[in-house]
Amino acid sequence: MTVAARYNSVAILVHWLTVIAILSLLIMGWTMTSLPPGSPDQFKLFQLHKSVGITVLALTLFRAAWRLAHRPPPLPAHMPAWEKWAAHLGHAGLYALLLGMPLTGWAVVSTSKFNIPTVLYGIIPFPHMPVLADLENKAPVNDVVSEAHELAAWILVALVVVHALAALRHHFLVKDDVLLRMVPRFGRRAPAPAALQD
């Protein structure tokens, strides 16, 4: 049996769309919290932040389903067991955060005292989170989910930096194809399939 030597085009597209979305969310998050409270610019950024956040949630759910149906390329045989374990753990952490951050953000909006409706990209109405939106005393819940959302953002930054540095290490120091497996080809020929070893 053989497996692909690189990720397929759908996985690559979703990966880089997610990267762009996450970087945009982090920049928006830090920018909007520094703007004057209630200002028009802050309101617009909050709305865009919510829209992109829900997009990340949808992309992550799609990506997880796609990965279950399409086996990813194996890690290089030369990688030691501890490094393979660390890579799998890092990916699991990234998936957890890519799901957890939009969900905690949705919870923040749903328990906000301002009760501002969410309209994705100014077009699609999006409901508040069930149950949380109907709580009589939302403030304690809002405090918890707000802190969780902020903490998750910093953890995500740390994981993304480690993830990127690991990929660059493989490319420039180890000189294998770990990074190239997730880079669009733009007309280049794909590497030959690798033999799957039991």
Side-chain angles (χ1 to χ4, degrees), residues 45-58:
L45 270 183
F46 263 104
Q47 293 302 311
L48 182 58
H49 187 83
K50 291 190 289 184
S51 298
V52 178
I54 295 300
T55 301
V56 167
L57 178 60

Side-chain angles (χ1 to χ4, degrees), residues 57 94-106 148-149 152:
L57 178 60
L94 286 170
Y95 271 101
L97 287 167
L98 291 175
L99 289 172
M101 284 199 66
L103 290 174
T104 55
W106 187 11
H149 191 67

Side-chain angles (χ1 to χ4, degrees), residues 7 15 60 63-64 67 72-76 79 83-99 156 159-160 162-164 166-167 170 178-179 181-182:
Y7 287 91
H15 173 271
T60 304
R63 183 176 180 179
R67 180 159 182 160
L75 293 171
M79 284 180 64
E83 192 173 354
K84 291 182 179 180
W85 179 84
H88 292 310
L89 188 62
H91 278 104
L94 286 170
Y95 271 101
L97 287 167
L98 291 175
L99 289 172
L156 180 61
L159 273 182
V160 167
V162 170
H163 183 69
H170 275 277
V178 166
L179 176 61
R181 300 183 316 165
M182 190 53 89

Side-chain angles (χ1 to χ4, degrees), residues 10-79:
V10 173
I12 292 172
L13 175 63
V14 174
H15 173 271
W16 290 108
L17 286 176
T18 302
V19 169
I20 293 169
I22 287 297
L23 292 177
S24 300
L25 284 169
L26 292 171
I27 293 170
M28 283 189 284
W30 289 320
T31 301
M32 68 192 190
T33 53
S34 66
L35 292 173
S39 65
D41 288 339
Q42 187 190 56
F43 178 81
K44 290 177 183 177
L45 270 183
F46 263 104
Q47 293 302 311
L48 182 58
H49 187 83
K50 291 190 289 184
S51 298
V52 178
I54 295 300
T55 301
V56 167
L57 178 60
L59 282 172
T60 304
L61 291 172
F62 174 82
R63 183 176 180 179
W66 186 266
R67 180 159 182 160
L68 288 174
H70 301 79
R71 187 169 184 174
L75 293 171
H78 64 77
M79 284 180 64

Side-chain angles (χ1 to χ4, degrees), residues 106-116 128 132 138-139 142:
W106 187 11
V108 169
V109 173
S110 302
T111 56
S112 171
K113 63 182 179 180
F114 300 111
N115 196 33
I116 299 174
H128 287 323
L132 292 185
K138 298 179 180 179
N142 186 265

Side-chain angles (χ1 to χ4, degrees), residues 126-140:
F126 193 80
H128 287 323
M129 188 173 281
V131 179
L132 292 185
D134 299 323
L135 292 175
E136 290 186 11
N137 186 12
K138 298 179 180 179

